[in-house]
């Protein structure tokens, strides 16, 4: 009877040990699953960070490109304004010159008319 009790006790210990081993394997599987998920999340985080850095680099590049374009447009506009102002000054000078010539021609014509009238009277 003592032997039977010891065998029973041994059998229960063996079952308890097997249950603990099964539980340990389950925990090891869960731990491995959690490690894989963490690794996947970490990889995703690295990918997201790389994408963020690429987007920031692209944005900064486009910002520089547009700044360069805007500056070039500003310089082109300023140059066009300067050329337009020079053309206005040149046109004003030409108008003054034309007016002066018109006055000179008018005075010459008047003088010629007076001479012509003097010649007609003398005839």
């Amino acid at each position: 009877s003592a032997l039977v009790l010891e065998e029973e006790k041994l059998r229960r210990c063996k079952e308890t040990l097997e249950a603990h081993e099964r539980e340990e394997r389950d925990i090891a599987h869960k731990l491995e699953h959690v490690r894989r998920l963490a690794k996947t999340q970490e990889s995703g985080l690295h990918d997201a960070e790389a994408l963020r850095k690429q987007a920031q680099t692209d944005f900064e590049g486009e910002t520089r490109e547009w700044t360069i374009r805007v500056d070039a447009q500003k310089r082109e506009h300023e140059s066009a304004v300067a050329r337009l102002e020079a053309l206005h000054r040149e046109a004003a000078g030409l108008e003054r010159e034309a007016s002066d010539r018109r006055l000179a021609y008018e005075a010459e014509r008047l003088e010629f008319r007076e001479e012509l009238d003097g010649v007609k009277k003398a005839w």
Side-chain angles (χ1 to χ4, degrees):
S1 164
L3 185 60
V4 171
L5 284 177
E6 276 302 309
E7 283 179 351
E8 181 61 26
K9 196 175 180 185
L10 186 61
R11 186 186 61 73
R12 279 195 312 260
C13 282
K14 188 177 176 187
E15 286 174 356
T16 302
L17 179 62
E18 287 173 352
H20 284 298
E21 286 175 346
R22 279 192 307 274
E23 188 177 341
E24 190 176 324
R25 280 192 304 272
D26 287 347
I27 289 171
H29 287 305
K30 287 178 183 175
L31 180 60
E32 183 58 33
H33 178 69
V34 167
R35 283 183 180 149
R36 279 194 307 269
L37 285 176
K39 190 174 182 180
T40 301
Q41 288 285 37
E42 190 174 317
S43 176
L45 180 63
H46 287 300
D47 291 348
E49 180 63 15
L51 286 174
R52 184 194 67 76
K53 283 181 181 178
Q54 184 61 48
Q56 184 175 355
T57 300
D58 291 349
F59 175 77
E60 289 169 356
E62 286 187 28
T63 301
R64 272 191 304 277
E65 184 178 325
W66 278 105
T67 299
I68 290 168
R69 286 182 183 180
V70 167
D71 288 346
Q73 288 292 325
K74 265 191 207 173
R75 285 191 303 276
E76 191 175 315
H77 173 74
E78 289 167 357
S79 176
V81 167
R83 285 192 309 270
L84 183 61
E85 288 172 348
L87 288 173
H88 278 297
R89 285 191 300 275
E90 186 179 341
L94 290 173
E95 284 178 18
R96 278 191 304 278
E97 189 178 315
S99 177
D100 292 347
R101 282 186 184 166
R102 231 179 284 115
L103 290 174
Y105 291 146
E106 192 60 41
E108 198 175 305
R109 196 168 74 85
L110 185 59
E111 187 180 318
F112 178 73
R113 173 69 69 188
E114 288 173 356
E115 281 181 29
L116 187 60
D117 286 346
V119 169
K120 282 183 182 177
K121 283 183 183 180
W123 253 82

